[in-house]
């Protein structure tokens, strides 16, 4: 008995796995499945494409360039970098009701927020409120870590330093008088950024935390004075700062500035004339950039995006087209004698 | 000295260790002229392991590349991706491989030390001491016992046998199982055996001068200077390492060559690392990828330089970041950053996965029940785990004969006596009903013939001709009988004779013993002595042998057996039964049996007396034409024969050999046979295993040489084939030709290297090539020839030590473990127990492996390149700053978690058709031979596909996110999502065999992407290390954004669209191909012309390993000791000894293949 056991000791296990007989589904594809499959998928894509396209069409977008390169532009006078504290007025009109909620963006182009060195030029420790990093910013911030007097810059780094600092005030022109349109700047940043990623040091008043540090070279005001109207909206958790710190993917981008949701404007901007007062601070001429303001409402798919709808339509039609080609090929092969 | 002039420069002094142990040494390295007897096949020592293994591993360019990546990634200025992304996988790979090599080396070390510590007796001043093989030194005198393996190449000094003969079995060297004899010089024999041996041997002080160590197994040239005499030495005096001493109690030998100098080890060939062709092609593609990456990085770096100079010309927030303000320097740094960023295009995971897959495929081979041989309890084994896919591409199978195609068992299956056929060969040998032979006390089984009628006839003594037939079998041979446990054990130089004598024993005619003059036979219990008057020996030219005996009754009888053609032309006129016997011969040859005709002649007393006088005269002649004279004389005696019958012997093929060969030939594999055996035997086996068809024309050397020498070999060959066939068989439209070559003829190729290419071109058109009497070295040369002149994968299969070299030389070497595990297995890449398992190994495992690995490589190239090349396109929109488009963790996990499982499952489980169908349609195998799935073109097309996909990955999200409020991280997550989806969609398109593991793997991969993304972008990890997990919250928002999903979906679909289309078109067009496969499987029945089976196709063979039979030794009485010699006889024997010595020398001159 023992001998017998030994004799088959090396015998391989007879299992489905070892014998490579695992039960398996072997899809038997045929032209009868493939061609209708292509048609169906193509049609589905066309369907999605149409839906996206229609949705996108229903979104209203008002985009105004205010860089001021052109001489007839309202902000032409400000485009010269030597002019300080320049303010320009942009007047525009809306023909019909601009349905709300209206989102107010500023847009920059040819601006490489995704440049690797630029992107790395920040100190996450510092931005999460670590006081040690206030006195000794990380090397990654270089050359925006210390000023010429060797004082640490807070917030350090290129991203923070280059923060967009144009400000906008929107008026509705009613009977020749400017009526302020209230802009809502709350909750325009990501929840995680506001609550986790960026923290102010737990020092009150906030100003004390910034002792022995200097503001970024480019900034007119230190971080703890970013929003004079709301003391809570200062320091690293200032909404505009957070929006800016969330880098754009591509050189042409928009960033949310404000939402128009209050009172009489909750339903949107009524038809009429508007005046936008711009505190023109941010120089873009040096890098051939453009600045613009964008008013837009949103749908379930976000802002206006015609590309996606068209792309779906194109790919969907391509599939249908291909299925027709396949059908022809199939017919030729199936009935070769007719050839 | 004269020795130096004739090339005999190897000097061996007996019993002089000091002389041979002179060593030069430097530091710890020592070398001397004479190697020691240690076998070292291991590579590492504890000290050298680490440097050597690292050196070996970093010879793979890929590893160096990864090392470079690690170094670069740890330079902060250029590090676009943290270093830990590469270093951990690299360390894992290095250590896994290193450990694997170490384990292999340990195994080699163990087997080495097992060999090195085998015992042997070494003479150490006056007495023999037990020592180990490794202690044997050139010049030592050794004592070898019966059945001991000989530890080094020895010169026989003397042995326990008369005339210092000794028998060796050379199965491990040339694959032949019969015994060969070696003999000491008469000088040493006379001087050293006459006294107590230890002392005389210790005093022996001969000096041997011989050739330098070489690999020629069948020749040896040397001289011995001893006591003022100079004696010539040749191969007949040498015992080779690895042979086994048989039937000789002990032999004494002087060590000539040891260890690495010995002829066997010289024949072994070098241990070479085998790489598969696919790996080579793939490595080329990898080099191509690396070069493209370098080029891309260079262009991007130039872009970066231009961009930075543009940025510097303006004042902006980023301008301060352009380092040192020097665009060239910036470009330089960016170049390296891009190399790092693009390096995942060739990930290290590929190399790990490649190994794992190979290993699993090897395990599958070992697990296959169908390749498990119950009798030996041995499953198949993949010893080299990196060659699996080559099994699916084999174009040439070079097979050994003995032990591989045949079992080396000869069975007496049928006979024809007086025109009556007995036995039935149509059934298998095992299925024959055993006859009741209990009446025969000497019967010990082994007769696979069922012929009760014959037994009845014999026992009833009714049929004198049957009795005569068996008498002929029991008398006419050169077999010796050794008595063991009251039964004779036969020792024969030819396995055929052993089978015949054995069959006669079973049927009651028992050959008991022979002395010089008598042959004792027990005929149905009655012991009869036949006086042996003359033994007319076998030569390859005569193809027959006869004995002339005086019967106890007084009559003179000549019994003769030989090839049918030679016997039939020597018969009496109007011989009885001739016609029926010839029909039987045809019948036997159709059953692929080896036939011998047996005939008898009653010799008149007068003619005998006259003949014997002439014989005595010519036997004493010492001229070179003595052999011719003798042959003529023999011819005179072998006339007027009376045909008694025909024997039919089956050279047992291994099970399923001809089915396997037929299948492999259908699969487009060329099967060649390389054997050390005789031409006749090889050709016979060629026919019986259906390698050659009955109407195949054999092209032999003479013709081949003419063709090779002709100015236009192809045309000449074609003509030769055509015309000949036209004459023989007008209907044979398709010419079937096979080449038959022998070793000495092959040696001519060395001088004419230009013949090689021509020969291979001819061989490609031939059905097969048979190479006979080739040395192990030549076997390897043939393999190299095939390797050199074709692009096919070669596979060698063999079972003995003589096949080791060819097994090592071929792309894939298979060792047959047979009944006992042998040397071949040790050196083989795959070990099988049976030849027939080859069909499963090649057509099932090989084909699957090839497909799986091809798909694996293509898919891997696609998934890694498509995901990494995105950075090139992104570079144009981020100022060429080497910004990664992915989260660092995505790069790290992509090839590990998100895409690895499905492809591994595919590489483990994929089957296009199941095993049964693979064997049913061997034509499917041809796609592997043509490299249809792994050609460089295919790999390049998958690269192009990857480039296309990377464009899609970038530009569709680009179109969507361009000029929107979406941030970088959301886009990164979207692209990552699309890349993961695409990789998994693509594998779903490739997979044809969905086991539940495949389904699970795809699902798990996709789910893991979502889970891991959420985890690496979670608050907790961010708080632990903000620098490493800075994508906080990105996926949380992205995964609920419909736009992200829609974008990823569109990107995925667009990316796999070409693959999808190709698949669809394939499906549509393939209906046609499938139809083809089905129609191909039902091949038309082959038309075989029965008419061509003429007499010329009869195959009669008398297999002897050496040219001439040992009859002379028998007739001179040198090797007989079963009876005590009388004093008188001893004297005559001694007198004869010089004679026999001479004969042997002469014989060697004929036999020894000339290796000049």
């Amino acid at each position: 008995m023992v001998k017998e056991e030994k004799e088959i000791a090396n015998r391989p296990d007879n299992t489905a796995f070892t014998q490579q007989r695992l039960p398996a589904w072997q899809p038997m594809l045929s032209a009868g499945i493939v061609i209708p499959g292509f048609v169906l998928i193509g049609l589905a894509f066309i369907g999605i494409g149409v839906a996206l396209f229609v949705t996108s069409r229903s979104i209203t977008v008002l985009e105004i360039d205010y860089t001021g390169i052109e001489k007839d532009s309202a902000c032409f006078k400000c485009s010269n970098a030597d002019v300080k504290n320049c303010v320009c007025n942009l007047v525009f009109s809306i023909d019909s009701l601009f349905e709300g909620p209206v989102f107010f963006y500023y847009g920059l182009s040819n601006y490489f927020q995704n440049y690797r060195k630029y992107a790395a030029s920040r100190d996450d420790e510092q931005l999460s409120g670590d006081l040690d990093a206030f006195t000794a910013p990380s090397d990654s911030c270089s050359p925006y870590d210390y000023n010429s007097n060797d004082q640490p810059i807070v917030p350090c780094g290129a991203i923070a330093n280059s923060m967009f600092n144009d400000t906008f005030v929107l008026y509705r022109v009613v009977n020749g008088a400017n009526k302020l349109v209230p802009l809502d700047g709350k909750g325009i940043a990501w929840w995680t950024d506001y609550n986790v990623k960026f923290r102010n040091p737990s020092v009150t008043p906030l100003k004390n935390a910034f002792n022995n540090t200097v503001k970024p070279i480019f900034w007119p005001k230190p971080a703890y004075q970013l929003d004079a109207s709301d003391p809570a909206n200062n320091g690293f958790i200032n909404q505009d700062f957070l929006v800016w710190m969330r880098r754009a993917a591509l050189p042409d981008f928009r960033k949310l500035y404000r939402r128009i949701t209050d009172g009489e404007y909750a339903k949107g901007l009524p038809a009429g004339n508007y005046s936008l007062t711009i505190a023109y601070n941010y120089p873009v001429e040096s890098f051939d950039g453009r600045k613009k303001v964008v008013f837009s409402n949103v749908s379930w798919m976000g802002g206006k995006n015609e590309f996606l709808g068209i792309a779906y339509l194109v790919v969907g039609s391509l599939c249908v087209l291909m299925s027709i080609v396949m059908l022809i090929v199939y017919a030729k092969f199936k009935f070769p004698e007719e050839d | 000295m004269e020795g130096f002039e004739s090339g005999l420069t190897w000097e061996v002094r007996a019993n002089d260790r000091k002389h041979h142990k002179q060593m030069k040494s430097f530091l710890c390295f020592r070398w001397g002229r004479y190697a020691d007897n240690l076998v070292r096949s291991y590579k590492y020592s504890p000290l050298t392991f680490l440097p050597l293994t690292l050196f070996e591993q970093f010879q793979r360019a890929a590893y160096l590349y990864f090392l470079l990546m690690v170094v670069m990634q740890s330079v902060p200025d250029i590090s676009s991706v943290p270093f830990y992304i590469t270093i951990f996988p690299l360390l894992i790979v290095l250590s896994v491989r290193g450990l694997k090599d170490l384990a292999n080396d340990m195994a080699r070390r163990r087997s080495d030390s097992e060999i090195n510590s085998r015992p042997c007796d070494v003479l150490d001043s006056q007495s023999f001491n037990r020592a180990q093989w490794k202690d044997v030194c050139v010049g030592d005198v050794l004592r070898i016992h019966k059945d001991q393996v000989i530890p080094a190449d020895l010169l026989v000094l003397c042995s326990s046998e008369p005339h210092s003969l000794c028998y060796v079995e050379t199965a491990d060297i040339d694959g032949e199982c019969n015994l060969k004899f070696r003999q000491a010089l008469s000088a040493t024999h006379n001087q050293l055996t006459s006294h107590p041996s230890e002392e005389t041997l210790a005093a022996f002080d001969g000096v041997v001068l011989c050739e330098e160590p070489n690999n020629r197994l069948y020749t040896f040239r040397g001289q011995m200077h001893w006591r003022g005499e100079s004696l010539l030495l040749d191969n007949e005096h040498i015992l080779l390492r690895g042979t086994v001493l048989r039937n000789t109690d002990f032999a004494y030998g002087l060590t000539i060559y040891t260890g690495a100098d010995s002829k066997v080890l010289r024949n072994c060939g070098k241990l070479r690392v085998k790489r598969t062709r696919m790996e080579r092609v793939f490595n080329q593609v990898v080099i191509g990828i690396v070069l493209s990456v370098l080029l891309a990085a260079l262009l991007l770096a130039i872009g970066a330089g231009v961009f930075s100079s543009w940025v510097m010309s303006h004042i902006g927030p980023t301008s301060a970041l352009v380092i040192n303000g020097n665009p060239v320097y910036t470009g330089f740094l960016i170049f390296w950053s891009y190399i790092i960023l693009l390096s995942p295009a060739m990930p290290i995971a590929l190399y790990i996965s490649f190994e794992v897959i190979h290993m699993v495929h090897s395990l599958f081979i070992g697990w296959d029940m169908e390749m498990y041989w119950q009798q030996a309890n041995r499953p198949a084994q993949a010893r080299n785990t990196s060659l699996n896919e080559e099994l699916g591409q084999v174009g040439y199978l070079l097979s050994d004969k003995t032990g591989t195609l045949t079992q080396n068992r000869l069975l007496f299956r049928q006979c024809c006596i007086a025109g009556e056929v007995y036995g039935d060969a149509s059934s298998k040998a095992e299925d024959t009903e055993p006859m009741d032979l209990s009446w025969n006390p000497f019967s010990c089984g082994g007769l696979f013939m069922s012929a009760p009628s014959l037994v009845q006839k014999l026992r009833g003594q009714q049929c004198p001709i049957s009795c005569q037939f068996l008498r002929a079998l029991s008398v006419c041979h050169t077999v010796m009988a050794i008595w063991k446990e009251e039964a004779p054990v036969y020792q024969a130089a030819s396995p055929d004779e052993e089978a015949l004598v054995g069959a006669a024993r079973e049927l009651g005619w028992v050959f008991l013993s022979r002395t010089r003059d008598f042959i004792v036979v027990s005929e149905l219990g009655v012991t009869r002595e036949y006086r042996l008057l003359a033994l007319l020996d076998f030569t390859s030219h005569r193809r027959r042998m006869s004995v002339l005996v005086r019967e106890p009754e007084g009559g003179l009888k000549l019994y003769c057996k030989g090839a049918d053609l030679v016997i039939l032309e020597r018969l009496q006129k109007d011989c009885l039964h001739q016609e029926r016997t010839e029909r039987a011969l045809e019948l036997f040859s159709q059953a692929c049996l080896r036939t011998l005709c047996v005939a008898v002649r009653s010799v008149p007393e007068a003619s005998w007396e006259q003949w014997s006088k002439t014989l005595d005269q010519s036997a004493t002649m010492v001229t070179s034409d003595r052999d011719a004279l003798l042959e003529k004389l023999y011819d005179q005696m072998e006339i007027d024969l009376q045909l008694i019958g025909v024997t039919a012997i089956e050279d047992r093929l291994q099970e399923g050999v001809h089915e396997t060969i037929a299948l492999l030939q259908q699969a487009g594999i060329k099967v060649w046979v390389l054997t050390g055996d005789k031409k006749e035997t090889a050709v016979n086996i060629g026919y019986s295993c259906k390698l050659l068809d009955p109407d195949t024309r054999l092209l032999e050397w003479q013709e081949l040489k003419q063709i090779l020498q002709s100015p236009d070999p192809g045309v000449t060959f074609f003509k030769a084939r055509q015309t000949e066939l036209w004459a023989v068989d007008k209907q044979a439209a398709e010419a079937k030709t096979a080449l038959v070559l022998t070793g000495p003829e092959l040696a001519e190729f060395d001088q004419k290297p230009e013949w090689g290419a021509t020969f291979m071109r001819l061989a490609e058109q031939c059905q097969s090539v048979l190479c006979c009497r080739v040395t192990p070295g030549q076997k390897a040369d043939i393999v190299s020839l095939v390797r050199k002149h074709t692009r096919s994968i070669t596979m060698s299969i063999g079972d003995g030590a003589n096949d080791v070299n060819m097994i090592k030389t071929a792309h894939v070497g298979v060792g047959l473990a047979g009944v006992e595990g042998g040397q071949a297995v040790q050196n083989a890449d795959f070990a099988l127990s049976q030849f027939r398992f080859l069909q499963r190994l090649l057509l099932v495992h090989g084909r699957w492996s090839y497909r799986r690995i091809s798909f694996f490589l293509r898919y891997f190239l696609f998934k890694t390149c498509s995901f990494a090349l995105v950075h090139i396109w992104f570079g144009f929109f981020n100022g060429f700053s080497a910004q990664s488009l992915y989260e660092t963790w995505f790069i790290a996990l992509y090839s590990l978690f998100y895409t690895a499982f499905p492809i591994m499952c595919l590489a483990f489980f994929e089957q296009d058709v199941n095993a049964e169908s693979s064997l049913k349609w061997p034509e499917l195998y041809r796609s592997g031979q043509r490299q249809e799935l792994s050609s460089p073109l295919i790999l390049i097309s998958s690269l192009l596909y990857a480039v296309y996909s990377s464009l899609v990955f970038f530009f569709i999200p680009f179109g969507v996110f361009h000029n929107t409020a979406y941030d970088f991280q959301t886009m990164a997550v979207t692209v990552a999502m699309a890349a993961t989806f695409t990789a998994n969609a693509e594998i779903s398109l490739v997979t044809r065999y969905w086991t539940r593991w495949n389904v699970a793997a795809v699902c798990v991969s996709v789910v893991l992407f979502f889970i891991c993304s959420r985890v690496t972008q979670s608050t907790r990890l961010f708080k632990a290390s903000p620098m490493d997990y800075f994508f906080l919250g990105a996926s949380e928002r992205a995964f609920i954004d419909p736009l992200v999903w829609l974008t990823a979906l569109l990107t995925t679909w667009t990316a796999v669209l070409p693959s999808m289309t190709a698949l669809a078109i394939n499906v549509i067009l393939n209906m046609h191909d499938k139809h083809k496969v089905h129609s191909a499987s039902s091949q038309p029945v082959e038309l075989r012309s029965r008419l061509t089976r003429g007499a010329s196709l009869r195959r009669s063979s008398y297999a002897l390993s050496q040219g001439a039979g040992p009859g002379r030794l028998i007739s001179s009485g040198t090797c007989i000791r079963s009876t005590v010699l009388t004093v008188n006889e001893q004297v005559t024997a001694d007198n004869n000894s010089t004679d026999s010595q001479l004969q042997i020398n002469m014989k060697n001159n004929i036999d020894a293949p000339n290796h000049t």
Side-chain angles (χ1 to χ4, degrees), chain A:
Chain A
M1 191 64 204
V2 176
K3 199 186 166 205
E4 225 167 71
E5 268 172 29
K6 203 184 164 191
E7 263 174 7
I8 55 159
N10 290 334
R11 185 201 187 91
D13 295 335
N14 188 8
T15 64
F17 174 70
T18 56
Q19 301 311 310
Q20 306 198 55
R21 292 182 188 282
L22 285 177
W25 174 60
Q26 285 177 280
M28 280 296 146
L29 292 178
S30 66
I33 299 171
V34 169
I35 296 174
F38 256 82
V39 174
L40 280 179
I41 293 172
L43 290 179
F45 269 61
I46 290 174
I48 297 174
V50 168
L52 283 174
F53 193 73
V54 170
T55 316
S56 189
R57 273 294 152 105
S58 70
I59 295 170
T60 324
V61 175
L62 179 66
E63 191 174 304
I64 307 158
D65 190 314
Y66 72 96
T67 323
I69 306 288
E70 296 81 13
K71 288 218 169 102
D72 55 349
S73 170
C75 293
F76 176 65
K77 56 175 180 175
C78 298
S79 62
N80 189 340
D82 297 334
V83 184
K84 300 283 172 205
N85 298 326
C86 179
V87 175
C88 55
N89 262 317
L90 207 63
V91 181
F92 60 94
S93 64
I94 295 172
D95 299 338
S96 56
L97 174 72
F98 201 117
E99 266 181 58
V102 178
F103 285 63
F104 179 7
Y105 303 90
Y106 61 91
L108 288 169
S109 62
N110 209 18
Y111 192 102
F112 289 81
Q113 248 203 334
N114 55 11
Y115 194 80
R116 181 164 61 93
K117 285 281 171 190
Y118 174 88
S121 184
R122 62 175 203 278
D123 185 349
D124 286 317
E125 303 281 340
Q126 198 184 59
L127 294 172
S128 59
D130 185 348
L131 281 172
D132 295 338
F134 272 53
T135 47
S138 151
D139 289 344
S140 57
C141 287
S142 170
Y144 299 105
D145 44 357
Y146 295 97
N147 71 358
S148 48
N149 300 327
D150 228 15
Q151 286 171 297
I153 299 171
V154 176
C156 74
I159 316 180
N161 185 50
S162 61
M163 185 179 156
F164 187 78
N165 55 4
D166 284 3
T167 52
F168 308 92
V169 183
L170 181 65
Y171 297 100
R172 186 178 172 205
V173 185
V174 185
N175 305 327
N178 282 349
K179 192 181 168 196
L180 184 73
V181 179
L183 299 175
D184 177 14
K186 285 208 177 74
I188 54 173
W190 286 24
W191 186 90
T192 43
D193 287 352
Y194 185 75
N195 291 291
V196 184
K197 205 166 181 178
F198 295 84
R199 303 297 323 142
N200 279 328
S202 43
V203 176
T204 40
L206 186 59
K207 183 177 183 293
N208 290 355
F210 288 81
N211 289 341
N212 302 321
T213 65
V214 291
K215 65 180 172 60
I217 300 153
F218 204 70
W219 287 19
K221 287 178 279 185
Y224 51 89
Q225 290 173 1
L226 283 174
D227 188 351
S229 59
D230 181 4
N233 190 23
N234 269 315
F236 301 149
I237 54 167
N238 173 273
Q239 294 284 340
D240 290 323
F241 179 67
L242 293 179
V243 168
W244 180 254
M245 291 301 281
R246 184 146 285 279
R247 298 183 297 124
L250 296 161
D252 294 350
F253 59 88
R254 293 174 192 169
K255 280 180 188 290
L256 187 56
Y257 183 68
R258 292 291 181 266
R259 273 189 290 229
I260 303 169
T261 50
D262 278 359
E264 52 182 312
Y265 298 103
K267 282 194 178 144
L269 294 173
N273 290 330
Y274 290 85
S275 160
L276 186 68
T277 308
I278 302 163
Y280 196 112
N281 300 316
Y282 204 74
V284 292
E285 200 192 1
S286 61
F287 54 90
D288 295 341
R290 309 287 287 190
K291 296 196 287 190
K292 60 202 168 198
V293 287
V294 182
F295 296 94
S296 167
N297 47 22
V298 295
S299 67
W300 57 270
M301 58 171 278
K304 193 180 184 72
N305 204 324
E306 291 196 338
F307 174 85
L308 196 60
I310 293 170
Y312 263 95
L313 286 174
V314 168
V315 173
S317 333
L318 199 66
C319 288
V320 174
L321 195 74
M322 236 150 19
S323 59
I324 293 168
V325 172
M326 277 178 224
L327 198 65
I328 294 169
V329 173
Y330 173 69
K332 278 206 171 180
F333 269 94
K334 183 139 194 216
F335 316 106
E337 57 269 28
E338 288 175 13
D339 244 26

Side-chain angles (χ1 to χ4, degrees), chain B residues 355-411:
Chain B
E355 268 187 24
V356 171
I357 290 166
H358 270 137
M359 210 152 77
V360 171
H361 287 187
S362 303
L363 284 176
F364 276 135
I365 288 173
W367 282 335
D368 195 335
M369 292 268 291
E370 310 269 314
M371 297 206 292
Y372 166 76
W373 201 40
Q374 186 111 38
Q375 269 144 293
N377 182 28
R378 200 181 290 120
Q381 187 192 7
R383 298 176 53 86
N384 185 339
T385 55
S386 56
L387 297 177
N388 306 65
E389 76 266 19
E390 299 242 294
L391 291 176
Q393 298 168 276
V394 172
Y396 282 85
L397 174 71
L398 299 109
S399 171
D400 174 43
K401 183 190 78 69
T402 320
T404 305
L405 297 177
T406 65
Q407 295 177 348
N408 207 27
R409 267 176 73 204
L410 294 175
L411 303 180

Side-chain angles (χ1 to χ4, degrees), chain B residues 802-1070:
Chain B
N802 56 334
D803 307 315
V804 167
N805 203 343
M806 96 175 161
I807 284 173
K808 282 184 185 171
T809 313
H811 288 103
V812 188
V814 179
L816 276 195
V819 183
E820 54 206 74
Q823 287 239 29
V825 170
Q826 295 294 318
N827 292 286
D829 303 311
F830 296 91
L832 297 179
S833 302
Q834 291 277 294
F835 185 79
R836 68 191 147 95
F837 293 161
L838 209 55
Q839 42 178 294
R840 228 180 135 77
L841 185 71
L842 292 177
L843 299 187
V844 179
H845 289 279
R847 209 176 66 81
W848 281 349
S849 272
Y850 172 70
R851 286 183 66 85
R852 290 168 184 172
I853 287 171
S854 303
F855 284 135
F856 164 77
L857 288 182
R858 273 162 55 186
Y859 175 75
F860 224 97
L861 274 186
F862 167 75
K863 76 162 190 180
T864 57
C865 288
S866 61
F867 123 101
L869 296 186
V870 168
H871 290 126
I872 297 179
W873 322 125
F874 187 42
F876 288 95
F877 299 93
N878 63 21
F880 307 101
S881 60
Q883 169 66 45
S884 163
L885 185 54
Y886 304 115
E887 185 195 6
T888 320
W889 289 105
F890 177 74
I891 297 177
L893 299 177
Y894 174 79
S895 51
L896 196 64
F897 283 171
Y898 307 155
T899 56
F901 304 130
I903 182 61
M904 293 308 262
C905 282
L906 175 109
F908 294 159
F909 304 125
E910 180 68 9
Q911 304 178 5
D912 53 342
V913 295
N914 59 15
E916 287 72 34
S917 306
S918 298
L919 292 172
K920 207 166 148 198
W921 295 314
E923 294 80 12
L924 292 173
Y925 189 78
R926 291 178 194 245
S927 77
Q929 291 166 334
R930 291 195 290 259
Q931 294 199 63
E932 274 174 13
L933 300 173
S934 61
S935 64
L937 207 69
I938 294 266
L939 290 178
I940 287 169
S941 70
S942 34
L943 276 183
L944 289 178
Y945 177 33
V947 172
Y948 161 80
S949 297
S950 69
L951 282 167
V952 170
F953 286 167
F954 180 71
F955 283 101
I956 288 184
F958 172 82
V960 175
F961 292 118
H962 175 74
N963 209 3
T964 60
Y966 283 98
D967 70 314
F968 165 75
Q969 294 186 348
T970 307
M971 177 160 168
V973 171
T974 311
V975 177
M977 199 156 136
T980 310
F981 285 174
T982 304
N984 283 295
E986 174 67 19
I987 195 76
S988 308
L989 290 180
V990 177
T991 307
R992 283 277 166 290
Y993 192 78
W994 285 92
T995 66
R996 53 172 183 273
W997 298 102
N998 293 72
V999 178
V1002 171
C1003 299
V1004 163
S1005 296
V1006 174
V1007 170
L1008 266 181
F1009 167 73
F1010 289 106
I1011 294 174
C1012 290
S1013 298
R1014 288 302 300 272
V1015 168
T1016 59
Q1017 298 168 15
S1018 68
T1019 309
R1020 181 172 297 199
L1021 282 177
F1022 173 81
K1023 281 187 171 160
S1025 171
M1027 282 298 284
D1028 293 323
Y1029 303 97
F1030 59 90
F1031 260 58
L1032 173 67
S1035 54
E1036 195 180 329
R1037 281 176 73 102
F1039 290 162
I1040 52 165
D1041 190 331
L1043 190 80
V1044 168
W1045 279 92
L1046 284 171
T1047 310
L1049 188 68
L1050 178 70
T1051 310
T1052 304
W1053 176 253
T1054 316
V1056 297
L1057 198 56
S1059 177
M1060 200 78 171
T1061 314
L1063 176 81
I1065 287 177
N1066 234 340
V1067 165
I1068 290 168
L1069 300 186
N1070 242 351

Side-chain angles (χ1 to χ4, degrees), chain B residues 687-735:
Chain B
Y687 282 114
S688 67
C689 65
K690 305 281 193 288
L691 186 61
L692 309 176
D693 292 324
D695 52 349
T696 300
R697 198 173 105 67
L698 298 183
L699 203 61
E700 297 197 16
W701 179 243
Q702 290 307 327
E703 266 176 287
L704 182 65
K705 199 170 168 184
Q706 279 173 9
I707 293 170
L708 289 176
Q709 281 168 340
S710 66
D712 195 350
V715 172
T716 321
F717 170 70
F718 195 64
K719 269 187 192 161
R721 198 162 73 164
Q722 286 285 313
T723 49
E724 283 289 330
L725 277 159
W726 198 249
V728 175
D729 182 8
K730 291 185 180 179
Q731 288 174 334
E734 239 181 67

